[in-house]
PDB file of all heavy atoms in Angstrom:
ATOM      1  N   LYS D   1     160.040  -3.669 152.558  1.00  0.00           N
ATOM      2  CA  LYS D   1     160.538  -4.834 151.789  1.00  0.00           C
ATOM      3  C   LYS D   1     161.350  -4.377 150.596  1.00  0.00           C
ATOM      4  O   LYS D   1     160.809  -4.033 149.542  1.00  0.00           O
ATOM      5  CB  LYS D   1     159.367  -5.694 151.343  1.00  0.00           C
ATOM      6  CG  LYS D   1     159.816  -7.025 150.674  1.00  0.00           C
ATOM      7  CD  LYS D   1     158.577  -7.826 150.359  1.00  0.00           C
ATOM      8  CE  LYS D   1     158.977  -9.146 149.777  1.00  0.00           C
ATOM      9  NZ  LYS D   1     157.841 -10.033 149.370  1.00  0.00           N
ATOM     10  N   GLU D   2     162.648  -4.362 150.798  1.00  0.00           N
ATOM     11  CA  GLU D   2     163.559  -3.848 149.727  1.00  0.00           C
ATOM     12  C   GLU D   2     164.886  -4.380 149.819  1.00  0.00           C
ATOM     13  O   GLU D   2     165.325  -4.896 150.871  1.00  0.00           O
ATOM     14  CB  GLU D   2     163.585  -2.311 149.741  1.00  0.00           C
ATOM     15  CG  GLU D   2     164.207  -1.771 151.014  1.00  0.00           C
ATOM     16  CD  GLU D   2     164.345  -0.293 151.002  1.00  0.00           C
ATOM     17  OE1 GLU D   2     164.937   0.246 150.027  1.00  0.00           O
ATOM     18  OE2 GLU D   2     163.922   0.360 151.937  1.00  0.00           O
ATOM     19  N   ILE D   3     165.650  -4.314 148.730  1.00  0.00           N
ATOM     20  CA  ILE D   3     167.032  -4.632 148.815  1.00  0.00           C
ATOM     21  C   ILE D   3     167.771  -3.303 148.666  1.00  0.00           C
ATOM     22  O   ILE D   3     167.567  -2.532 147.725  1.00  0.00           O
ATOM     23  CB  ILE D   3     167.437  -5.559 147.601  1.00  0.00           C
ATOM     24  CG1 ILE D   3     166.684  -6.908 147.697  1.00  0.00           C
ATOM     25  CG2 ILE D   3     168.940  -5.794 147.580  1.00  0.00           C
ATOM     26  CD1 ILE D   3     166.920  -7.811 146.486  1.00  0.00           C
ATOM     27  N   TYR D   4     168.591  -3.003 149.663  1.00  0.00           N
ATOM     28  CA  TYR D   4     169.215  -1.728 149.687  1.00  0.00           C
ATOM     29  C   TYR D   4     170.305  -1.686 148.602  1.00  0.00           C
ATOM     30  O   TYR D   4     171.195  -2.541 148.526  1.00  0.00           O
ATOM     31  CB  TYR D   4     169.876  -1.421 151.020  1.00  0.00           C
ATOM     32  CG  TYR D   4     168.836  -1.313 152.142  1.00  0.00           C
ATOM     33  CD1 TYR D   4     168.704  -2.402 153.041  1.00  0.00           C
ATOM     34  CD2 TYR D   4     168.005  -0.254 152.237  1.00  0.00           C
ATOM     35  CE1 TYR D   4     167.734  -2.334 154.074  1.00  0.00           C
ATOM     36  CE2 TYR D   4     167.048  -0.192 153.221  1.00  0.00           C
ATOM     37  CZ  TYR D   4     166.909  -1.151 154.122  1.00  0.00           C
ATOM     38  OH  TYR D   4     165.971  -1.125 155.069  1.00  0.00           O
ATOM     39  N   GLN D   5     170.207  -0.711 147.683  1.00  0.00           N
ATOM     40  CA  GLN D   5     171.062  -0.659 146.532  1.00  0.00           C
ATOM     41  C   GLN D   5     171.954   0.622 146.578  1.00  0.00           C
ATOM     42  O   GLN D   5     172.865   0.736 145.668  1.00  0.00           O
ATOM     43  CB  GLN D   5     170.220  -0.651 145.240  1.00  0.00           C
ATOM     44  CG  GLN D   5     169.407  -1.902 145.062  1.00  0.00           C
ATOM     45  CD  GLN D   5     168.550  -1.857 143.840  1.00  0.00           C
ATOM     46  OE1 GLN D   5     168.109  -0.816 143.444  1.00  0.00           O
ATOM     47  NE2 GLN D   5     168.308  -3.041 143.305  1.00  0.00           N
ATOM     48  N   THR D   6     171.730   1.482 147.511  1.00  0.00           N
ATOM     49  CA  THR D   6     172.548   2.729 147.587  1.00  0.00           C
ATOM     50  C   THR D   6     173.365   2.728 148.856  1.00  0.00           C
ATOM     51  O   THR D   6     172.992   2.191 149.885  1.00  0.00           O
ATOM     52  CB  THR D   6     171.691   3.933 147.596  1.00  0.00           C
ATOM     53  OG1 THR D   6     170.771   3.890 148.718  1.00  0.00           O
ATOM     54  CG2 THR D   6     170.830   4.003 146.291  1.00  0.00           C
ATOM     55  N   LYS D   7     174.571   3.272 148.704  1.00  0.00           N
ATOM     56  CA  LYS D   7     175.450   3.353 149.925  1.00  0.00           C
ATOM     57  C   LYS D   7     175.035   4.567 150.714  1.00  0.00           C
ATOM     58  O   LYS D   7     174.531   5.531 150.238  1.00  0.00           O
ATOM     59  CB  LYS D   7     176.900   3.577 149.452  1.00  0.00           C
ATOM     60  CG  LYS D   7     177.513   2.335 148.719  1.00  0.00           C
ATOM     61  CD  LYS D   7     178.923   2.553 148.371  1.00  0.00           C
ATOM     62  CE  LYS D   7     179.553   1.336 147.735  1.00  0.00           C
ATOM     63  NZ  LYS D   7     180.989   1.521 147.387  1.00  0.00           N
ATOM     64  N   VAL D   8     175.231   4.427 152.031  1.00  0.00           N
ATOM     65  CA  VAL D   8     174.934   5.565 152.917  1.00  0.00           C
ATOM     66  C   VAL D   8     176.170   6.322 153.269  1.00  0.00           C
ATOM     67  O   VAL D   8     177.305   5.759 153.217  1.00  0.00           O
ATOM     68  CB  VAL D   8     174.221   5.016 154.234  1.00  0.00           C
ATOM     69  CG1 VAL D   8     172.901   4.361 153.939  1.00  0.00           C
ATOM     70  CG2 VAL D   8     175.170   4.070 155.014  1.00  0.00           C
ATOM     71  N   ALA D   9     175.943   7.546 153.565  1.00  0.00           N
ATOM     72  CA  ALA D   9     177.129   8.414 153.971  1.00  0.00           C
ATOM     73  C   ALA D   9     176.645   9.485 154.903  1.00  0.00           C
ATOM     74  O   ALA D   9     175.578  10.066 154.726  1.00  0.00           O
ATOM     75  CB  ALA D   9     177.737   9.081 152.698  1.00  0.00           C
ATOM     76  N   GLY D  10     177.370   9.694 155.990  1.00  0.00           N
ATOM     77  CA  GLY D  10     177.010  10.673 156.972  1.00  0.00           C
ATOM     78  C   GLY D  10     176.092  10.099 158.015  1.00  0.00           C
ATOM     79  O   GLY D  10     175.423   9.119 157.882  1.00  0.00           O
ATOM     80  N   ILE D  11     176.108  10.799 159.197  1.00  0.00           N
ATOM     81  CA  ILE D  11     175.395  10.274 160.389  1.00  0.00           C
ATOM     82  C   ILE D  11     173.886  10.084 160.114  1.00  0.00           C
ATOM     83  O   ILE D  11     173.318   9.119 160.461  1.00  0.00           O
ATOM     84  CB  ILE D  11     175.678  11.224 161.592  1.00  0.00           C
ATOM     85  CG1 ILE D  11     177.116  11.127 162.024  1.00  0.00           C
ATOM     86  CG2 ILE D  11     174.691  10.894 162.728  1.00  0.00           C
ATOM     87  CD1 ILE D  11     177.479  12.050 163.135  1.00  0.00           C
ATOM     88  N   PRO D  12     173.208  11.135 159.560  1.00  0.00           N
ATOM     89  CA  PRO D  12     171.728  10.967 159.368  1.00  0.00           C
ATOM     90  C   PRO D  12     171.402   9.697 158.530  1.00  0.00           C
ATOM     91  O   PRO D  12     170.486   8.969 158.908  1.00  0.00           O
ATOM     92  CB  PRO D  12     171.308  12.249 158.717  1.00  0.00           C
ATOM     93  CG  PRO D  12     172.372  13.281 159.105  1.00  0.00           C
ATOM     94  CD  PRO D  12     173.650  12.485 159.127  1.00  0.00           C
ATOM     95  N   GLN D  13     172.091   9.524 157.433  1.00  0.00           N
ATOM     96  CA  GLN D  13     171.806   8.358 156.560  1.00  0.00           C
ATOM     97  C   GLN D  13     172.165   7.036 157.238  1.00  0.00           C
ATOM     98  O   GLN D  13     171.377   6.055 157.162  1.00  0.00           O
ATOM     99  CB  GLN D  13     172.526   8.522 155.198  1.00  0.00           C
ATOM    100  CG  GLN D  13     172.042   9.554 154.327  1.00  0.00           C
ATOM    101  CD  GLN D  13     172.670   9.544 152.962  1.00  0.00           C
ATOM    102  OE1 GLN D  13     173.279   8.523 152.549  1.00  0.00           O
ATOM    103  NE2 GLN D  13     172.537  10.637 152.227  1.00  0.00           N
ATOM    104  N   ILE D  14     173.215   7.021 157.983  1.00  0.00           N
ATOM    105  CA  ILE D  14     173.614   5.759 158.687  1.00  0.00           C
ATOM    106  C   ILE D  14     172.540   5.397 159.737  1.00  0.00           C
ATOM    107  O   ILE D  14     172.149   4.277 159.871  1.00  0.00           O
ATOM    108  CB  ILE D  14     174.999   5.920 159.306  1.00  0.00           C
ATOM    109  CG1 ILE D  14     176.019   6.006 158.200  1.00  0.00           C
ATOM    110  CG2 ILE D  14     175.310   4.725 160.243  1.00  0.00           C
ATOM    111  CD1 ILE D  14     177.452   6.334 158.744  1.00  0.00           C
ATOM    112  N   ILE D  15     172.116   6.400 160.437  1.00  0.00           N
ATOM    113  CA  ILE D  15     171.124   6.212 161.556  1.00  0.00           C
ATOM    114  C   ILE D  15     169.834   5.714 160.924  1.00  0.00           C
ATOM    115  O   ILE D  15     169.182   4.778 161.378  1.00  0.00           O
ATOM    116  CB  ILE D  15     170.886   7.475 162.331  1.00  0.00           C
ATOM    117  CG1 ILE D  15     172.139   7.791 163.207  1.00  0.00           C
ATOM    118  CG2 ILE D  15     169.687   7.299 163.315  1.00  0.00           C
ATOM    119  CD1 ILE D  15     172.122   9.128 163.814  1.00  0.00           C
ATOM    120  N   SER D  16     169.370   6.410 159.835  1.00  0.00           N
ATOM    121  CA  SER D  16     168.172   6.081 159.181  1.00  0.00           C
ATOM    122  C   SER D  16     168.138   4.651 158.610  1.00  0.00           C
ATOM    123  O   SER D  16     167.183   3.895 158.806  1.00  0.00           O
ATOM    124  CB  SER D  16     167.878   7.066 158.038  1.00  0.00           C
ATOM    125  OG  SER D  16     166.688   6.751 157.361  1.00  0.00           O
ATOM    126  N   ARG D  17     169.284   4.261 157.994  1.00  0.00           N
ATOM    127  CA  ARG D  17     169.406   2.887 157.458  1.00  0.00           C
ATOM    128  C   ARG D  17     169.386   1.884 158.575  1.00  0.00           C
ATOM    129  O   ARG D  17     168.727   0.794 158.472  1.00  0.00           O
ATOM    130  CB  ARG D  17     170.641   2.762 156.569  1.00  0.00           C
ATOM    131  CG  ARG D  17     170.936   1.386 156.047  1.00  0.00           C
ATOM    132  CD  ARG D  17     169.923   0.901 155.047  1.00  0.00           C
ATOM    133  NE  ARG D  17     169.920   1.800 153.876  1.00  0.00           N
ATOM    134  CZ  ARG D  17     170.808   1.685 152.845  1.00  0.00           C
ATOM    135  NH1 ARG D  17     171.721   0.792 152.883  1.00  0.00           N
ATOM    136  NH2 ARG D  17     170.701   2.514 151.842  1.00  0.00           N
ATOM    137  N   THR D  18     170.133   2.132 159.617  1.00  0.00           N
ATOM    138  CA  THR D  18     170.188   1.263 160.791  1.00  0.00           C
ATOM    139  C   THR D  18     168.806   1.009 161.370  1.00  0.00           C
ATOM    140  O   THR D  18     168.394  -0.155 161.615  1.00  0.00           O
ATOM    141  CB  THR D  18     171.117   1.751 161.876  1.00  0.00           C
ATOM    142  OG1 THR D  18     172.420   1.956 161.310  1.00  0.00           O
ATOM    143  CG2 THR D  18     171.211   0.804 163.041  1.00  0.00           C
ATOM    144  N   LEU D  19     168.148   2.072 161.619  1.00  0.00           N
ATOM    145  CA  LEU D  19     166.751   1.919 162.239  1.00  0.00           C
ATOM    146  C   LEU D  19     165.817   1.247 161.229  1.00  0.00           C
ATOM    147  O   LEU D  19     164.953   0.442 161.678  1.00  0.00           O
ATOM    148  CB  LEU D  19     166.166   3.319 162.549  1.00  0.00           C
ATOM    149  CG  LEU D  19     166.860   4.013 163.730  1.00  0.00           C
ATOM    150  CD1 LEU D  19     166.374   5.475 163.849  1.00  0.00           C
ATOM    151  CD2 LEU D  19     166.614   3.217 164.973  1.00  0.00           C
ATOM    152  N   SER D  20     165.973   1.480 159.965  1.00  0.00           N
ATOM    153  CA  SER D  20     165.115   0.851 158.946  1.00  0.00           C
ATOM    154  C   SER D  20     165.299  -0.659 158.994  1.00  0.00           C
ATOM    155  O   SER D  20     164.311  -1.406 158.957  1.00  0.00           O
ATOM    156  CB  SER D  20     165.412   1.416 157.561  1.00  0.00           C
ATOM    157  OG  SER D  20     164.663   0.706 156.596  1.00  0.00           O
ATOM    158  N   ILE D  21     166.559  -1.093 159.042  1.00  0.00           N
ATOM    159  CA  ILE D  21     166.862  -2.565 159.064  1.00  0.00           C
ATOM    160  C   ILE D  21     166.255  -3.182 160.306  1.00  0.00           C
ATOM    161  O   ILE D  21     165.686  -4.282 160.311  1.00  0.00           O
ATOM    162  CB  ILE D  21     168.354  -2.761 158.980  1.00  0.00           C
ATOM    163  CG1 ILE D  21     168.848  -2.331 157.563  1.00  0.00           C
ATOM    164  CG2 ILE D  21     168.668  -4.235 159.196  1.00  0.00           C
ATOM    165  CD1 ILE D  21     170.385  -2.321 157.466  1.00  0.00           C
ATOM    166  N   MET D  22     166.353  -2.441 161.454  1.00  0.00           N
ATOM    167  CA  MET D  22     165.983  -3.013 162.717  1.00  0.00           C
ATOM    168  C   MET D  22     164.459  -3.009 162.958  1.00  0.00           C
ATOM    169  O   MET D  22     163.897  -4.000 163.331  1.00  0.00           O
ATOM    170  CB  MET D  22     166.678  -2.248 163.884  1.00  0.00           C
ATOM    171  CG  MET D  22     168.179  -2.446 163.958  1.00  0.00           C
ATOM    172  SD  MET D  22     168.889  -1.379 165.200  1.00  0.00           S
ATOM    173  CE  MET D  22     168.110  -1.946 166.653  1.00  0.00           C
ATOM    174  N   THR D  23     163.818  -1.944 162.633  1.00  0.00           N
ATOM    175  CA  THR D  23     162.476  -1.696 163.059  1.00  0.00           C
ATOM    176  C   THR D  23     161.434  -2.428 162.170  1.00  0.00           C
ATOM    177  O   THR D  23     160.328  -2.673 162.681  1.00  0.00           O
ATOM    178  CB  THR D  23     162.079  -0.195 163.018  1.00  0.00           C
ATOM    179  OG1 THR D  23     162.288   0.388 161.762  1.00  0.00           O
ATOM    180  CG2 THR D  23     162.925   0.545 164.060  1.00  0.00           C
ATOM    181  N   PHE D  24     161.846  -2.786 160.951  1.00  0.00           N
ATOM    182  CA  PHE D  24     160.790  -3.450 160.148  1.00  0.00           C
ATOM    183  C   PHE D  24     160.476  -4.876 160.620  1.00  0.00           C
ATOM    184  O   PHE D  24     159.660  -5.561 160.151  1.00  0.00           O
ATOM    185  CB  PHE D  24     161.152  -3.442 158.678  1.00  0.00           C
ATOM    186  CG  PHE D  24     160.774  -2.127 157.962  1.00  0.00           C
ATOM    187  CD1 PHE D  24     161.742  -1.088 157.816  1.00  0.00           C
ATOM    188  CD2 PHE D  24     159.460  -1.885 157.638  1.00  0.00           C
ATOM    189  CE1 PHE D  24     161.369   0.063 157.288  1.00  0.00           C
ATOM    190  CE2 PHE D  24     159.102  -0.674 157.084  1.00  0.00           C
ATOM    191  CZ  PHE D  24     160.043   0.302 156.886  1.00  0.00           C
ATOM    192  N   GLU D  25     161.325  -5.361 161.581  1.00  0.00           N
ATOM    193  CA  GLU D  25     161.056  -6.643 162.195  1.00  0.00           C
ATOM    194  C   GLU D  25     160.046  -6.534 163.329  1.00  0.00           C
ATOM    195  O   GLU D  25     159.529  -7.524 163.774  1.00  0.00           O
ATOM    196  CB  GLU D  25     162.359  -7.244 162.721  1.00  0.00           C
ATOM    197  CG  GLU D  25     163.400  -7.525 161.636  1.00  0.00           C
ATOM    198  CD  GLU D  25     164.689  -8.112 162.232  1.00  0.00           C
ATOM    199  OE1 GLU D  25     164.653  -8.375 163.427  1.00  0.00           O
ATOM    200  OE2 GLU D  25     165.633  -8.315 161.484  1.00  0.00           O
ATOM    201  N   THR D  26     159.778  -5.318 163.761  1.00  0.00           N
ATOM    202  CA  THR D  26     158.898  -5.147 164.959  1.00  0.00           C
ATOM    203  C   THR D  26     157.466  -5.498 164.675  1.00  0.00           C
ATOM    204  O   THR D  26     156.694  -5.859 165.610  1.00  0.00           O
ATOM    205  CB  THR D  26     158.895  -3.708 165.517  1.00  0.00           C
ATOM    206  OG1 THR D  26     158.393  -2.827 164.507  1.00  0.00           O
ATOM    207  CG2 THR D  26     160.353  -3.292 165.803  1.00  0.00           C
ATOM    208  N   SER D  27     157.010  -5.417 163.413  1.00  0.00           N
ATOM    209  CA  SER D  27     155.587  -5.688 163.117  1.00  0.00           C
ATOM    210  C   SER D  27     155.325  -6.947 162.364  1.00  0.00           C
ATOM    211  O   SER D  27     154.223  -7.227 161.980  1.00  0.00           O
ATOM    212  CB  SER D  27     155.022  -4.495 162.301  1.00  0.00           C
ATOM    213  OG  SER D  27     154.928  -3.360 163.114  1.00  0.00           O
ATOM    214  N   ASP D  28     156.377  -7.797 162.162  1.00  0.00           N
ATOM    215  CA  ASP D  28     156.218  -9.028 161.367  1.00  0.00           C
ATOM    216  C   ASP D  28     155.105  -9.877 161.833  1.00  0.00           C
ATOM    217  O   ASP D  28     154.176 -10.307 161.096  1.00  0.00           O
ATOM    218  CB  ASP D  28     157.503  -9.762 161.292  1.00  0.00           C
ATOM    219  CG  ASP D  28     158.521  -9.176 160.322  1.00  0.00           C
ATOM    220  OD1 ASP D  28     158.149  -8.217 159.616  1.00  0.00           O
ATOM    221  OD2 ASP D  28     159.681  -9.636 160.352  1.00  0.00           O
ATOM    222  N   ILE D  29     155.100 -10.244 163.153  1.00  0.00           N
ATOM    223  CA  ILE D  29     154.086 -11.101 163.700  1.00  0.00           C
ATOM    224  C   ILE D  29     152.714 -10.525 163.642  1.00  0.00           C
ATOM    225  O   ILE D  29     151.720 -11.149 163.259  1.00  0.00           O
ATOM    226  CB  ILE D  29     154.472 -11.535 165.099  1.00  0.00           C
ATOM    227  CG1 ILE D  29     155.769 -12.311 165.113  1.00  0.00           C
ATOM    228  CG2 ILE D  29     153.333 -12.395 165.763  1.00  0.00           C
ATOM    229  CD1 ILE D  29     156.339 -12.726 166.477  1.00  0.00           C
ATOM    230  N   GLU D  30     152.603  -9.242 164.022  1.00  0.00           N
ATOM    231  CA  GLU D  30     151.353  -8.536 163.999  1.00  0.00           C
ATOM    232  C   GLU D  30     150.761  -8.495 162.595  1.00  0.00           C
ATOM    233  O   GLU D  30     149.596  -8.737 162.438  1.00  0.00           O
ATOM    234  CB  GLU D  30     151.548  -7.077 164.546  1.00  0.00           C
ATOM    235  CG  GLU D  30     150.280  -6.279 164.649  1.00  0.00           C
ATOM    236  CD  GLU D  30     150.548  -4.953 165.316  1.00  0.00           C
ATOM    237  OE1 GLU D  30     151.273  -4.911 166.352  1.00  0.00           O
ATOM    238  OE2 GLU D  30     149.993  -3.945 164.778  1.00  0.00           O
ATOM    239  N   GLU D  31     151.578  -8.228 161.643  1.00  0.00           N
ATOM    240  CA  GLU D  31     151.130  -8.171 160.261  1.00  0.00           C
ATOM    241  C   GLU D  31     150.622  -9.553 159.827  1.00  0.00           C
ATOM    242  O   GLU D  31     149.588  -9.714 159.186  1.00  0.00           O
ATOM    243  CB  GLU D  31     152.214  -7.688 159.330  1.00  0.00           C
ATOM    244  CG  GLU D  31     152.585  -6.236 159.514  1.00  0.00           C
ATOM    245  CD  GLU D  31     153.937  -5.925 158.768  1.00  0.00           C
ATOM    246  OE1 GLU D  31     154.114  -6.499 157.693  1.00  0.00           O
ATOM    247  OE2 GLU D  31     154.626  -5.024 159.218  1.00  0.00           O
ATOM    248  N   GLU D  32     151.379 -10.546 160.177  1.00  0.00           N
ATOM    249  CA  GLU D  32     151.025 -11.943 159.778  1.00  0.00           C
ATOM    250  C   GLU D  32     149.677 -12.376 160.329  1.00  0.00           C
ATOM    251  O   GLU D  32     148.876 -13.075 159.580  1.00  0.00           O
ATOM    252  CB  GLU D  32     152.166 -12.882 160.283  1.00  0.00           C
ATOM    253  CG  GLU D  32     151.899 -14.360 159.834  1.00  0.00           C
ATOM    254  CD  GLU D  32     152.092 -14.571 158.378  1.00  0.00           C
ATOM    255  OE1 GLU D  32     152.832 -13.823 157.741  1.00  0.00           O
ATOM    256  OE2 GLU D  32     151.406 -15.480 157.866  1.00  0.00           O
ATOM    257  N   PHE D  33     149.327 -11.996 161.519  1.00  0.00           N
ATOM    258  CA  PHE D  33     148.071 -12.413 162.136  1.00  0.00           C
ATOM    259  C   PHE D  33     146.918 -11.488 161.928  1.00  0.00           C
ATOM    260  O   PHE D  33     145.743 -11.928 161.912  1.00  0.00           O
ATOM    261  CB  PHE D  33     148.293 -12.574 163.708  1.00  0.00           C
ATOM    262  CG  PHE D  33     148.972 -13.861 164.028  1.00  0.00           C
ATOM    263  CD1 PHE D  33     150.392 -13.898 164.229  1.00  0.00           C
ATOM    264  CD2 PHE D  33     148.319 -15.091 164.152  1.00  0.00           C
ATOM    265  CE1 PHE D  33     151.086 -15.058 164.560  1.00  0.00           C
ATOM    266  CE2 PHE D  33     148.974 -16.257 164.435  1.00  0.00           C
ATOM    267  CZ  PHE D  33     150.379 -16.258 164.660  1.00  0.00           C
ATOM    268  N   PHE D  34     147.196 -10.184 161.745  1.00  0.00           N
ATOM    269  CA  PHE D  34     146.060  -9.260 161.782  1.00  0.00           C
ATOM    270  C   PHE D  34     145.858  -8.526 160.458  1.00  0.00           C
ATOM    271  O   PHE D  34     144.756  -7.885 160.244  1.00  0.00           O
ATOM    272  CB  PHE D  34     146.282  -8.206 162.896  1.00  0.00           C
ATOM    273  CG  PHE D  34     146.247  -8.802 164.276  1.00  0.00           C
ATOM    274  CD1 PHE D  34     147.294  -8.958 164.963  1.00  0.00           C
ATOM    275  CD2 PHE D  34     144.964  -9.218 164.789  1.00  0.00           C
ATOM    276  CE1 PHE D  34     147.303  -9.554 166.268  1.00  0.00           C
ATOM    277  CE2 PHE D  34     144.937  -9.755 166.105  1.00  0.00           C
ATOM    278  CZ  PHE D  34     146.115  -9.956 166.822  1.00  0.00           C
ATOM    279  N   ALA D  35     146.769  -8.557 159.535  1.00  0.00           N
ATOM    280  CA  ALA D  35     146.607  -7.908 158.177  1.00  0.00           C
ATOM    281  C   ALA D  35     145.908  -8.867 157.268  1.00  0.00           C
ATOM    282  O   ALA D  35     146.427  -9.979 157.046  1.00  0.00           O
ATOM    283  CB  ALA D  35     147.916  -7.418 157.693  1.00  0.00           C
ATOM    284  N   ASP D  36     144.797  -8.539 156.663  1.00  0.00           N
ATOM    285  CA  ASP D  36     144.142  -9.312 155.671  1.00  0.00           C
ATOM    286  C   ASP D  36     144.759  -9.188 154.263  1.00  0.00           C
ATOM    287  O   ASP D  36     144.722 -10.074 153.518  1.00  0.00           O
ATOM    288  CB  ASP D  36     142.636  -8.998 155.609  1.00  0.00           C
ATOM    289  CG  ASP D  36     141.946  -9.177 156.961  1.00  0.00           C
ATOM    290  OD1 ASP D  36     141.670 -10.342 157.199  1.00  0.00           O
ATOM    291  OD2 ASP D  36     141.775  -8.179 157.686  1.00  0.00           O
ATOM    292  N   MET D  37     145.286  -8.050 153.997  1.00  0.00           N
ATOM    293  CA  MET D  37     146.073  -7.820 152.734  1.00  0.00           C
ATOM    294  C   MET D  37     147.255  -6.916 153.125  1.00  0.00           C
ATOM    295  O   MET D  37     147.176  -5.921 153.758  1.00  0.00           O
ATOM    296  CB  MET D  37     145.174  -7.097 151.677  1.00  0.00           C
ATOM    297  CG  MET D  37     145.933  -6.839 150.373  1.00  0.00           C
ATOM    298  SD  MET D  37     144.963  -6.003 149.029  1.00  0.00           S
ATOM    299  CE  MET D  37     143.967  -7.432 148.539  1.00  0.00           C
ATOM    300  N   LEU D  38     148.406  -7.336 152.673  1.00  0.00           N
ATOM    301  CA  LEU D  38     149.679  -6.686 152.959  1.00  0.00           C
ATOM    302  C   LEU D  38     150.366  -6.337 151.682  1.00  0.00           C
ATOM    303  O   LEU D  38     150.713  -7.195 150.848  1.00  0.00           O
ATOM    304  CB  LEU D  38     150.523  -7.603 153.823  1.00  0.00           C
ATOM    305  CG  LEU D  38     151.887  -7.049 154.303  1.00  0.00           C
ATOM    306  CD1 LEU D  38     151.694  -5.783 155.061  1.00  0.00           C
ATOM    307  CD2 LEU D  38     152.573  -8.071 155.217  1.00  0.00           C
ATOM    308  N   LEU D  39     150.529  -5.019 151.443  1.00  0.00           N
ATOM    309  CA  LEU D  39     151.179  -4.533 150.215  1.00  0.00           C
ATOM    310  C   LEU D  39     152.570  -3.991 150.446  1.00  0.00           C
ATOM    311  O   LEU D  39     152.857  -3.393 151.482  1.00  0.00           O
ATOM    312  CB  LEU D  39     150.268  -3.449 149.645  1.00  0.00           C
ATOM    313  CG  LEU D  39     148.859  -3.722 149.290  1.00  0.00           C
ATOM    314  CD1 LEU D  39     148.164  -2.509 148.630  1.00  0.00           C
ATOM    315  CD2 LEU D  39     148.727  -4.969 148.437  1.00  0.00           C
ATOM    316  N   TYR D  40     153.469  -4.258 149.446  1.00  0.00           N
ATOM    317  CA  TYR D  40     154.780  -3.785 149.568  1.00  0.00           C
ATOM    318  C   TYR D  40     155.137  -2.974 148.221  1.00  0.00           C
ATOM    319  O   TYR D  40     155.524  -3.492 147.235  1.00  0.00           O
ATOM    320  CB  TYR D  40     155.822  -4.919 149.542  1.00  0.00           C
ATOM    321  CG  TYR D  40     155.777  -5.770 150.842  1.00  0.00           C
ATOM    322  CD1 TYR D  40     154.995  -6.989 150.820  1.00  0.00           C
ATOM    323  CD2 TYR D  40     156.433  -5.448 151.928  1.00  0.00           C
ATOM    324  CE1 TYR D  40     154.934  -7.771 151.957  1.00  0.00           C
ATOM    325  CE2 TYR D  40     156.420  -6.229 153.064  1.00  0.00           C
ATOM    326  CZ  TYR D  40     155.690  -7.375 153.109  1.00  0.00           C
ATOM    327  OH  TYR D  40     155.640  -8.182 154.231  1.00  0.00           O
TER     328      TYR D  40
END
């Protein structure tokens, strides 16, 4: 849970940022139903 404030440069950073944006949606429903406390 963040607002990206730094620019990315180079393949590793671009890949990492892309995956970060995409994958944090994979657990939203699971967290909502099964996490009793969720920290950011």
